[in-house]
Amino acid sequence: MKKIEINKIKIKKLKKGDEVQVLSGKDKGKKGKIEAILTKERKVVVTNINQYKRHLKRRSQNQPSEIITLTKPLPIGVVALVCPKCHLPTRVGFKKDKSGMNRFCKKCEAQIWI
Ligand SMILES: [Zn+2]
């Protein structure tokens, strides 16, 4: 039961539209915005990150074959939120106030709004 709670919080640390930096893999160090969060798979889709080219075979004589670019989801653990204030990849903390739970940057203590 407790495990589920932790997972929930971890997902909430990142929101659609957040700027994140990739911590490992072929796009290590690159930054991008979160396009989608796949809560079930614990993955995120980040703009221009983890892209793969795929060759589509032509289906008919008239249709040319084409190369499309696919953006594959990344495991949530390999991205870190980029703080809008100090512009560093950071860990997200939570603070509770009158308006509810708010996210904040653990480096500069700035509140992170979406
Ligand atoms: Zn910060």
Side-chain angles (χ1 to χ4, degrees):
M1 202 62 191
K2 209 173 182 186
K3 217 173 186 179
I4 296 163
E5 289 277 311
I6 292 165
N7 285 348
K8 254 190 202 165
I9 289 170
K10 216 168 188 183
I11 296 293
K12 272 192 198 164
K13 280 183 179 178
L14 297 169
K15 289 180 180 174
K16 202 176 159 183
D18 279 347
E19 194 184 17
V20 291
Q21 185 163 343
V22 184
L23 302 175
S24 64
K26 73 180 185 93
D27 288 318
K28 188 180 173 179
K30 282 191 191 171
K31 288 177 187 173
K33 274 208 165 104
I34 294 181
E35 275 182 24
I37 297 176
L38 312 168
T39 313
K40 241 184 176 177
E41 291 98 335
R42 302 180 49 74
K43 285 181 173 176
V44 286
V45 179
V46 186
T47 314
N48 298 327
I49 301 289
N50 211 26
Q51 288 187 323
Y52 289 86
K53 287 215 173 6
R54 199 171 146 194
H55 208 97
L56 285 186
K57 282 181 197 164
R58 60 178 183 177
R59 291 187 196 123
S60 68
Q61 289 276 312
N62 308 328
Q63 217 178 28
S65 63
E66 54 178 333
I67 294 164
I68 58 159
T69 307
L70 291 171
T71 306
K72 288 190 181 177
L74 290 162
I76 220 151
V78 306
V79 297
L81 185 79
V82 177
C83 171
K85 201 185 173 193
C86 63
H87 303 286
L88 293 168
T90 185
R91 293 181 66 189
V92 181
F94 289 95
K95 267 180 192 168
K96 209 173 179 182
D97 67 10
K98 280 176 241 158
S99 59
M101 278 293 224
N102 282 309
R103 301 185 298 166
F104 73 96
C105 167
K106 280 191 175 173
K107 279 186 178 147
C108 72
E109 304 261 302
Q111 235 176 50
I112 301 163
W113 300 101
I114 192 87

